[in-house]
Amino acid sequence: MRLLIALLTALFPVMASAAETPQTVDLTGSTVGILALCVFVIAYVLVVAEEWLHLRKSIPVLLGAVIIWTMIGATYASMGDTEIVHRTVQHSLIEFAELFLFLLVAMTYINTLDERGVFDALRGWLVSRGFSLRTLFWLTGLIAFFLSPIADNMTTALVMASVAIAVGAGHPRFVTVACINIVVAANSGGAWSPFGDITTLMVWQKGVFPAHEFLVLFVPALVSWIIPAAIMATQVPKATPEPLAVRPVVRFGGLVIIGMFIGTIALTVTLHAAFHLPPALGMMGGLGALMLMNYTLNRIGALHKDGEVHHQLIDQGGLSGAESSDPYQENKGPRLNTFNQVARSEWDTLLFFYGIIMCVGGLGTLGYLSVGSEMLYGELGPTVTNILMGVISAVIDNIPVMFAVLSMYPDMNDGQWLLVTLTAGIGGSLLAIGSAAGVAVMGTARGYYTFFGHLRWSWAIGLGYGAGIWTHFLLNG
């Protein structure tokens, strides 16, 4: 081990005085600091190029994280201190663990609702109403704006984009603008809820301000969506698609689980506000309740259908009830299995969050976040910097941007923290690759929703971005 440390130290010498304490060493100008920054940049370029390379976005950041922290560990070990690296890695791991557990439960609930046919029922209801394309354009956007604060912006965008594709057959121009509108609405809707976007969740879990303060961003977020939507609506064809014969059906227990999901969120907010308990604790309690409900629904369905099938088989002179392997599955759809829904979670996304948090945590340990905070918030000021952060988030995704801001933790009032929360949420709409919602819809609506198709309307989305910021200053200044 000492030989390995010596070799790594020779490869990555520290250009800082050994007399300084590890906590105050600035490694931004050292070889190890520059190499670590290069590793992060290369990893993130590979993330951005995922659509063309077909390389899972979690892979480069997972490898980048271990390379960065290995270099940091070797550097501090050569200075005779391994404790600070241990503590800082643990801090980043705790940050990720809280986010991971929260998201895992939320994804499991969403997957369970999807398995119970809740989202299919919503799609079926919309496409069987006989609405005009213009009405559907506004309805899908409105639902996306109000659904994303609960179901998160990516899931919401996927559900509503599938509606646009289903009803827009033969009207490709409608599908294109409808998908752009849905992505913008989902991102804007997620900005005024602590659960609507990963960035707002990180701000809330960090304890910057309580959950109810996000609600003051409702009107600015609404404005940021309404303006580009009104402009794009002029390009929607004046046509009414044929209503589809779709029967909306929510499977056994689906409505109960909707109530449980809302109750889990309420419990989480209450525990955090009243006792300052981590939000992940309340969400994990909700997961336990979902598992219990899973068991109860399966037992009720099986007992009810066992008797029903038994009588039917006797009347028909058929097989005995013992030979019916799963009557519940035959009559009520597939059995609920919470662990299957856990397995269906977006593991690539969850592991991507781990890699990003660890990489940014490593760059913070090297001193880059302190330098960035001084350059941006110290010289440009919080207002200009926070507006700029939204634009940057459209290029490199809002998650690492917000995590970097939270790691810097500049001295700002609540109005400025709300501003950066708003801009990181709605700024991702400026480009198709700027948000998880946009990237997800690009995969679902191939040929309709593209990077350049979205780019054509970036000017209108930019008008909404500016108007949303102006409204925030006007109302919450």
Side-chain angles (χ1 to χ4, degrees), residues 308-343:
E308 200 172 289
V309 172
H310 176 74
H311 285 94
Q312 288 175 355
L313 292 172
I314 290 176
D315 291 342
Q316 296 168 4
L319 300 173
S320 67
E323 294 175 289
S324 178
S325 60
D326 197 349
Y328 178 63
Q329 185 169 353
E330 293 175 20
N331 295 276
K332 285 287 187 181
R335 283 182 177 274
L336 268 173
N337 189 323
T338 306
F339 290 103
N340 285 348
Q341 308 316 318
V342 171

Side-chain angles (χ1 to χ4, degrees), residues 96-423:
F96 168 71
E98 291 187 353
L99 182 65
F100 168 79
L101 292 175
F102 189 104
L103 290 175
L104 186 66
V105 177
M107 288 178 177
T108 302
Y109 262 101
I110 294 300
N111 290 338
T112 304
L113 293 175
D114 180 55
E115 188 274 341
R116 291 290 93 184
V118 172
F119 298 126
D120 286 335
L122 175 61
R123 282 194 294 265
W125 181 83
L126 284 171
V127 300
S128 62
R129 296 291 97 182
F131 294 128
S132 69
L133 291 180
R134 289 202 170 181
T135 301
L136 284 166
F137 174 86
W138 284 106
L139 268 179
T140 52
L142 194 65
I143 293 173
F145 183 82
F146 284 100
L147 183 60
S148 62
I150 301 173
D152 86 68
N153 55 356
M154 183 176 71
T155 301
T156 299
L158 286 172
V159 171
M160 302 318 298
S162 68
V163 174
I165 295 169
V167 301
H171 301 280
R173 189 173 64 174
F174 163 76
V175 177
T176 297
V177 293
C179 285
I180 298 170
N181 180 50
I182 287 165
V183 170
V184 175
N187 288 335
S188 296
W192 59 273
S193 163
F195 317 104
D197 194 292
I198 303 302
T199 55
T200 58
L201 178 59
M202 289 193 294
V203 170
W204 181 50
Q205 288 199 147
K206 191 77 170 181
V208 177
F209 39 75
H212 68 270
E213 280 202 34
F214 286 91
L215 296 177
V216 304
L217 294 176
F218 173 80
V219 175
L222 182 63
V223 169
S224 72
W225 164 59
I226 287 289
I227 289 179
I231 296 171
M232 289 187 289
T234 61
Q235 300 300 307
V236 177
K238 294 181 180 178
T240 301
E242 289 293 324
L244 303 178
V246 178
R247 181 188 175 190
V249 176
V250 177
R251 293 197 188 106
F252 187 54
L255 297 178
V256 175
I257 294 171
I258 292 175
M260 290 182 61
F261 188 28
I262 295 172
T264 296
I265 292 174
L267 173 68
T268 300
V269 172
T270 302
L271 291 177
H272 185 66
F275 308 120
H276 300 285
L277 294 173
L281 187 68
M283 293 297 286
M284 290 301 288
L287 179 61
L290 178 62
M291 290 177 171
L292 180 60
M293 180 55 65
N294 167 80
Y295 169 81
T296 304
L297 290 176
N298 284 341
R299 291 291 297 172
I300 291 173
L303 289 172
H304 174 66
K305 286 302 169 183
D306 272 337
E308 200 172 289
V309 172
H310 176 74
H311 285 94
Q312 288 175 355
L313 292 172
I314 290 176
D315 291 342
Q316 296 168 4
L319 300 173
S320 67
E323 294 175 289
S324 178
S325 60
D326 197 349
Y328 178 63
Q329 185 169 353
E330 293 175 20
N331 295 276
K332 285 287 187 181
R335 283 182 177 274
L336 268 173
N337 189 323
T338 306
F339 290 103
N340 285 348
Q341 308 316 318
V342 171
R344 288 178 55 212
S345 297
E346 290 286 338
W347 288 100
D348 182 47
T349 300
L350 292 170
L351 293 175
F352 169 74
F353 293 153
Y354 164 81
I356 284 295
I357 288 174
M358 296 303 293
C359 283
V360 174
L363 295 180
T365 302
L366 292 167
Y368 282 107
L369 296 184
S370 298
V371 172
S373 180
E374 181 60 32
M375 288 177 60
L376 293 172
Y377 287 97
E379 296 181 12
L380 295 179
T383 299
V384 174
T385 300
N386 289 335
I387 294 173
L388 183 62
M389 287 297 178
V391 178
I392 294 173
S393 71
V395 180
I396 64 170
D397 194 87
N398 54 6
I399 295 166
V401 169
M402 180 55 77
F403 187 73
V405 172
L406 289 170
S407 299
M408 296 176 194
Y409 212 85
D411 185 15
M412 301 189 296
N413 59 33
D414 277 9
Q416 290 292 344
W417 276 109
L418 286 166
L419 174 62
V420 74
T421 302
L422 175 69
T423 57

